[in-house]
Amino acid sequence: MPFDELAKSPSQTFSYLETNHYVLCVETNNKEAAKKEATDICWLLNFALGQRVEWIGAEAKENHDWESELWGNFRGEEKPSVNAPLRNHADGVICRYIERAYPIYLLNEDWWQATLHWCSIALENNLVETSGLIYSMLLDRLTRFVLTTHDFPPQIDPDLKTKLQLNDFIRGLDKLMNSIKIQWTEERTRKIIGTLLQWNTEPDYKIKIKTVFEKLSLPIPEQSLLLNRHTLAHNGLLQSGTDPLQYYRDITKCVTMLMLKMLNYEGKYFIPDIGDCTL
């Protein structure tokens, strides 16, 4: 399903959630389905609490002939990551987050599970460059997901595909490239044509990021934040002159804000060294 198709009403799954001990009430007579739901929700808690969370026990309690409730004890690590968006906020914020996020998660379970898994890896890593690389990948992944149903106009020419497939054009380009380097092959010419078609289909990375953040009514990231994407991916290093801690704060806020928005969250969240933010 496309990202735009949000659930119409919040889940009524939870009885209550507390800081260190989470009690999950699932209205179903299928124990395996209840266990799966508890496991799925742990993925969402991993992100919100900035730590690994898993349920360690379950008990069925019969209240009605048609209903059973599964109660799970959730266990998290003793030393959570400093990046815990919702850990610092009480008043039932975690419960409200799950009630809004879980229906979104269910629309694309496999995609969200993989996304939250990568987020957990970034949280567990202490190197700015490694976490930055993962967050940069996540920003790209999230952006592409939001843009699944977005049609960009042709970036070069509406008839480019037809023109590039003309035999005269292909032969002319092949001849031109052969005049530069005698070892040139037709396969390389075809790759150039493929690249041109891709450029015509979608804009560059910066415009895609801008489109997504405008679409979701979020502040557009600074261009300087996006410049490190290439150097991290190919060299494993930040650009010369980049403050590592400032970059980590900025990319963390950018991805956290986008993920919370995509999960239909509204309210306060926390970013290390920045403080409280609001969606």
Side-chain angles (χ1 to χ4, degrees):
M1 274 187 196
F3 169 72
D4 292 335
E5 293 186 28
L6 301 180
K8 299 296 187 291
S9 61
S11 167
Q12 300 300 321
T13 298
F14 285 94
S15 173
Y16 65 86
L17 289 170
E18 296 177 349
T19 304
N20 296 315
H21 182 78
Y22 306 98
V23 178
L24 173 67
C25 173
V26 181
E27 296 182 357
T28 177
N29 56 9
N30 186 325
K31 187 174 183 180
E32 293 306 312
K35 286 182 177 181
K36 177 187 178 300
E37 185 163 336
T39 301
D40 289 342
I41 287 170
C42 281
W43 284 106
L44 292 167
L45 291 174
N46 286 347
F47 169 59
L49 303 177
Q51 65 184 82
R52 292 275 185 175
V53 179
E54 59 182 354
W55 65 274
I56 57 174
E59 178 182 357
K61 297 186 177 181
E62 301 292 340
N63 289 338
H64 305 283
D65 293 337
W66 53 272
E67 178 184 284
S68 64
E69 298 177 350
L70 182 106
W71 296 75
N73 298 318
F74 290 78
R75 178 180 60 196
E77 295 175 350
E78 293 181 359
K79 295 182 179 180
S81 164
V82 292
N83 183 24
L86 304 185
R87 173 171 288 275
N88 289 23
H89 302 288
D91 303 324
V93 67
I94 297 294
C95 188
R96 290 196 301 273
Y97 157 72
I98 294 294
E99 287 176 344
R100 296 179 70 90
Y102 189 52
I104 307 301
Y105 173 94
L106 289 178
L107 293 177
N108 294 277
E109 291 184 60
D110 291 342
W111 187 90
W112 273 111
Q113 189 173 120
T115 302
L116 294 165
H117 173 69
W118 276 111
C119 193
S120 294
I121 294 174
L123 290 171
E124 293 169 1
N125 198 285
N126 294 323
L127 292 175
V128 170
E129 288 83 2
T130 304
S131 293
L133 177 59
I134 296 173
Y135 278 126
S136 182
M137 177 275 292
L138 282 170
L139 181 57
D140 198 358
R141 178 178 173 84
L142 295 168
T143 296
R144 289 183 178 278
F145 188 70
V146 175
L147 294 176
T148 300
T149 57
H150 186 89
D151 291 324
F152 288 104
Q155 302 297 299
I156 302 173
D157 186 328
D159 299 322
L160 185 66
K161 184 174 182 179
T162 301
K163 294 176 180 178
L164 291 180
Q165 290 177 339
L166 295 174
N167 288 331
D168 288 345
F169 177 84
I170 296 173
R171 283 194 295 266
L173 179 59
D174 200 45
K175 183 178 179 181
L176 174 64
M177 300 310 297
N178 266 293
S179 68
I180 299 173
K181 190 173 182 64
I182 197 170
Q183 290 90 353
W184 190 263
T185 63
E186 185 178 339
E187 180 184 357
R188 290 172 175 167
T189 301
R190 298 285 180 183
K191 287 182 178 180
I192 289 179
I193 291 174
T195 300
L196 290 172
L197 289 173
Q198 183 180 356
W199 287 349
N200 195 48
T201 302
E202 58 183 33
D204 66 23
Y205 181 66
K206 291 180 289 186
I207 295 177
K208 286 191 288 187
I209 295 291
K210 182 175 182 290
T211 301
V212 165
F213 279 74
E214 286 180 341
K215 181 182 178 74
L216 300 181
S217 301
L218 296 173
I220 299 170
E222 295 290 336
Q223 295 298 311
S224 57
L225 179 67
L226 308 179
L227 295 176
N228 280 288
R229 173 175 177 254
H230 182 80
T231 55
L232 279 172
H234 295 281
N235 299 318
L237 298 171
L238 296 169
Q239 280 196 332
S240 177
T242 300
D243 180 344
L245 294 180
Q246 184 61 49
Y247 172 77
Y248 181 78
R249 285 192 290 266
D250 292 343
I251 192 68
T252 299
K253 179 180 179 180
C254 183
V255 172
T256 299
M257 174 175 59
L258 181 55
M259 283 188 64
L260 286 172
K261 185 73 172 183
M262 290 172 65
L263 287 167
N264 203 26
Y265 175 76
E266 293 180 352
K268 288 184 177 181
Y269 64 99
F270 180 82
I271 299 294
D273 298 322
I274 294 178
D276 288 348
C277 305
T278 304
L279 282 175

